[in-house]
């Protein structure tokens, strides 16, 4: 599998300092755009216009005076439309000058909730790295979990009066570390567990213990990795239980799997474990063959791509996406042009300004199916699990709430089917345990699955 460079499909693509990328429906038309964080320059909202990705950010979202690095979307107010959390960081660690933004859209106009007087005391002024949308109580009401560096983690929700409050202490996640990457999903239990990749200290695994509360248990589950410096982290299909894969900054990378009631164990191949200056890590089926690939986005080094062949994870040639001179800071996947094949959008910056890049796998005849679960309020159900069965084989995907480092993938379960043109069934499991099944959906479509009423 090789990537083809489609960067010419990005209209008006100057060299800038860009960081995190989140894929969400910014303008409420049912299609997904890429929100790209601008560091000392405008944020961008890239929308497919039929031939190119064009910037449609208004003045509020562009916010050119801030230094944005992390971004995630989630429906925090339960109106069926996602809000956008933008994490600004103007210092390496500790207290910062520029507060975060939480953009909400009402009647077509965006506003910053942190900029309102009622929410001033809640403003996060600690340097952070990643943010994730978390439905901790399984009611479709999301909060935004922030991985801070040198200060306690934050978990922002709306109270009954509609004010932003930090409930990290109540939830049991207000720990202090060098926070980096975040993912949330059913990792060791049935509820939405949280894995946090950290720097200069052990990783966290917050096990959901009920009622929207968590207990830290990384060491017991074998994922603490205390001597390394975590960056990007992703969840991948490893059978009955999701696997975890994370990159360590200039250290050995980790691919972890587990069996029932057992801790995670390291199954990283010799090729994958090799250290690199890693940023975002992505698990996705780029070529629709029915098996996920793993993409490591590096800064100042070649990017890496891995695929599973005959039971082994081996290096693949990323071709144009290797970017040996690229200063990668973030990356995300989505099917922007709607053809059933994923695009890979890579952002660059930090040490020098570079344009965005866009890649795609060569066209093939493989079948595919995309599943978009919705909350009871009608928003994307981030944190839901989708299982597909075809030709006697099961595939599983986690709808992404936040995929550290700095980024968030599209809220769609993308399934490649290879040569298999018939699907036996699809099942969606929401964070509260509610399930819905769809028998024999036709491939080649985006299947929207509403929360059962």
């Amino acid at each position: 599998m090789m990537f083809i460079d489609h960067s010419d499909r990005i209209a008006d693509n100057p060299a800038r300092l860009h960081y995190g990328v989140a894929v969400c429906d910014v303008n409420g038309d049912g299609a997904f755009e890429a929100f790209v964080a601008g560091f000392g320059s405008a944020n961008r909202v890239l929308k497919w216009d039929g031939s190119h990705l064009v910037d449609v950010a208004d003045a509020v979202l562009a916010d050119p005076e801030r230094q944005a690095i992390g971004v995630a979307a989630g429906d925090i107010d339960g109106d069926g439309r996602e809000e956008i959390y933008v994490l600004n960081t103007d210092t390496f660690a500790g207290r910062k000058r520029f507060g975060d933004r939480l953009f909400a859209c009402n009647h077509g106009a965006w506003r910053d909730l942190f900029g309102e007087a009622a929410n001033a005391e809640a403003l996060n002024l600690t340097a952070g790295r990643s943010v994730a949308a978390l439905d901790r109580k399984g009611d479709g009401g999301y909060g935004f979990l922030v991985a801070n560096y040198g200060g306690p983690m934050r978990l922002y929700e709306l109270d009954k009066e509609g004010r932003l409050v930090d409930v990290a202490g109540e939830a049991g996640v207000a720990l202090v570390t060098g926070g980096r990457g975040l993912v949330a999903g059913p990792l060791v239990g049935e509820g939405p567990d949280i894995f946090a990749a950290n720097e200069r200290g052990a990783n966290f695994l917050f096990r959901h213990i009920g009622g929207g509360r968590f207990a830290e248990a990384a060491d017991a589950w074998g994922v603490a990795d205390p001597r390394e410096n975590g960056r990007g982290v992703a969840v991948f299909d490893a059978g009955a239980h999701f696997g975890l894969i994370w990159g360590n900054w200039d250290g050995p990378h980790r691919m972890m799997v587990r069996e029932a009631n057992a801790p995670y164990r390291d199954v990283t191949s010799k090729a994958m474990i090799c250290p690199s200056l890693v940023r975002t890590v992505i698990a996705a089926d780029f070529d629709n063959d029915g098996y996920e690939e793993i993409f490591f986005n590096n800064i100042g080094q070649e990017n890496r791509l891995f695929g599973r062949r005959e039971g082994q994870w081996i290096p693949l040639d990323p071709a144009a996406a290797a970017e040996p001179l690229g200063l990668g800071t973030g990356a995300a996947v989505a099917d922007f042009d709607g053809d059933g094949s994923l695009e890979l959008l890579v952002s660059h910056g930090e040490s020098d300004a570079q344009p965005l890049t866009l890649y795609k796998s060569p066209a093939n005849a493989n079948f595919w199916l995309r599943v978009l679960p919705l909350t009871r309020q009608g928003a994307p159900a981030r944190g839901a699990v989708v299982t597909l069965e075809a030709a006697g084989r099961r595939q599983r995907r986690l709808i992404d709430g936040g995929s550290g480092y700095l980024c968030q993938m599209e809220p769609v379960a993308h399934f490649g089917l290879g040569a298999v043109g018939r699907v036996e069934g699809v099942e969606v499991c929401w964070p509260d345990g509610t399930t819905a099944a769809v028998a024999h959906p036709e491939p080649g479509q985006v299947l929207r699955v509403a929360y059962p009423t």
Side-chain angles (χ1 to χ4, degrees), residues 206-217:
F206 295 105
R207 181 176 59 86
H208 190 261
I209 57 175
R213 297 178 298 114
F214 301 86
E216 205 289 305

Side-chain angles (χ1 to χ4, degrees), residues 430-451:
W430 280 264
D432 66 351
T434 298
T435 61
V438 179
H440 305 298
E442 286 292 324
Q445 65 165 318
V446 179
L447 178 66
R448 285 174 162 79
V449 183
Y451 185 91

Side-chain angles (χ1 to χ4, degrees), residues 6 28 31 67 73 77 97 173 237 270 369 389 417 425 432 453:
H6 282 242
Q67 295 179 345
D77 59 6
R97 293 182 299 119
V173 299
D237 184 1
K270 290 182 179 180
L369 179 67
E389 186 164 353
L417 300 171
D432 66 351
T453 57

Side-chain angles (χ1 to χ4, degrees), residues 52-83:
H52 291 81
L53 288 171
V54 297
D55 189 357
V56 297
D58 67 9
V60 175
L61 294 181
D63 201 20
E65 303 303 320
R66 293 292 172 101
Q67 295 179 345
I69 62 169
V71 58
D75 184 13
I76 193 173
D77 59 6
D79 66 351
R81 184 166 180 174
E82 292 190 307
E83 283 66 51

Side-chain angles (χ1 to χ4, degrees), residues 392-415:
R393 176 172 170 259
R394 288 188 174 184
Q395 297 187 55
R396 300 173 76 226
R397 301 286 187 269
L398 173 65
I399 303 299
D400 191 48
S403 186
Y405 183 52
L406 310 176
C407 300
Q408 185 188 53
M409 307 301 130
E410 63 173 355
V412 180
H414 180 92
F415 296 99

Side-chain angles (χ1 to χ4, degrees), residues 21 28 165 284 294 339:
V21 182
V165 291
I294 307 295
D339 69 350

Side-chain angles (χ1 to χ4, degrees), residues 308-324:
R308 191 167 177 82
R309 302 292 186 269
E310 298 180 356
Q312 301 293 323
W313 287 94
I314 65 170
L316 303 178
D317 180 8
E323 294 192 345

